[in-house]
Amino acid sequence: MNVSASLTPFNSPTQDSLPMILDTLPDPAITSKTCPRRTRLQIDLILLAIEALELGGSEAILSFAQELDLKGIVKDRVNLWRMRSSNPLRRAHIRRPLTIMEAKALVVIACYIARRLTVVIRQLLMICQQMEEKQIPLEQNLRLSNYLERFRAHFKSRMNARRSGVLALTSDEKLDELAINLLGQLLFCTGTAGMQRFWISLFDGEVE
């Protein structure tokens, strides 16, 4: 979707100058203007899965930010890192809020990348299902094995092993299960109204 570039300086986007694409996602019915813990965690994980799907995933995130006129929110690599470090499970977790506006921008970008990767995502999920039905280890398929290996490596290098949420994911089997589940979420994002439905799901249990 092409939208006009904002004339507002990148460091201070106003509500009136925000890209229209963000209006496709409703504001959650929560008191705070910042995202709950689970929302921050899930957004970071979905981006982690994208990075595991293709080399240069972080560059793709920044590229789509520019293409979708979201550079006023996702300004550069450092800014993106700070947003994602609001995930409390990260090694480099920083106590900064993730605003609703920032979360919307990241979700829009993630969903557009997922659409571009729809065929790859479908193929990997189909391979996974077939191998599980035949009780064949997932690592015996090169494409699926590469995705799972990259996801495990990204997760282990970026998440704090001492956090309780990470302690539950210490085994490769648990991480593989998470990686496959995230593929399913990415495919969900590509469906009819998938972006809106995924966005709403991020606030399940948080709506007041």
Side-chain angles (χ1 to χ4, degrees):
M1 178 177 179
N2 292 325
V3 291
S4 58
S6 168
L7 298 178
T8 306
F10 282 166
N11 60 354
S12 58
T14 66
Q15 192 66 34
D16 292 338
S17 70
L18 294 177
M20 290 183 294
I21 195 170
L22 298 184
D23 292 337
T24 63
L25 300 179
D27 289 332
I30 57 177
T31 303
S32 175
K33 294 300 180 183
T34 59
C35 293
R37 180 184 187 277
R38 190 180 72 85
T39 306
R40 289 178 276 137
L41 170 61
Q42 290 299 318
I43 290 175
D44 188 32
L45 287 178
I46 209 75
L47 294 175
L48 200 70
I50 286 173
E51 291 176 323
L53 275 173
E54 61 172 358
L55 298 176
S58 58
E59 287 76 12
I61 294 169
L62 295 173
S63 177
F64 269 83
Q66 182 166 356
E67 182 177 330
L68 296 168
D69 195 26
L70 295 171
K71 286 288 285 185
I73 302 171
V74 187
K75 302 177 182 69
D76 51 36
R77 186 182 299 275
V78 173
N79 179 243
L80 175 62
W81 175 83
R82 286 174 177 165
M83 289 185 199
R84 296 184 64 180
S85 293
S86 66
N87 171 9
L89 297 189
R90 283 223 166 206
R91 290 179 185 271
H93 171 57
I94 55 178
R95 294 184 179 276
R96 82 179 289 279
L98 182 69
T99 68
I100 298 298
M101 178 178 64
E102 290 172 334
K104 283 185 177 183
L106 293 177
V107 166
V108 167
I109 291 169
C111 289
Y112 269 77
I113 295 176
R115 289 176 188 173
R116 190 188 69 182
L117 297 172
T118 298
V119 173
V120 174
I121 295 169
R122 284 187 183 278
Q123 289 175 342
L124 287 177
L125 285 171
M126 187 177 299
I127 291 169
C128 180
Q129 181 180 0
Q130 292 172 346
M131 297 187 74
E132 287 180 342
E133 288 174 353
K134 297 177 181 179
Q135 298 184 332
I136 301 174
L138 299 183
E139 61 268 18
Q140 289 193 17
N141 181 273
L142 182 60
R143 292 181 63 193
L144 186 57
S145 176
N146 285 341
Y147 164 69
L148 295 175
E149 184 177 347
R150 285 196 297 267
F151 182 84
R152 291 195 303 267
H154 288 335
F155 187 94
K156 290 176 181 178
S157 67
R158 299 179 192 182
M159 303 302 165
N160 187 341
R162 291 176 294 179
R163 300 282 183 181
S164 59
V166 178
L167 287 173
L169 296 167
T170 53
S171 70
D172 286 354
E173 291 77 12
K174 288 291 185 181
L175 286 176
D176 288 350
E177 183 179 337
L178 175 60
I180 297 299
N181 180 264
L182 289 167
L183 280 181
Q185 291 185 39
L186 284 170
L187 186 61
F188 176 78
C189 292
T190 69
T192 303
M195 182 166 66
Q196 290 78 14
R197 293 163 65 196
F198 175 68
W199 169 252
I200 293 170
S201 76
L202 293 173
F203 296 91
D204 285 349
E206 306 290 348
V207 177
E208 298 176 353

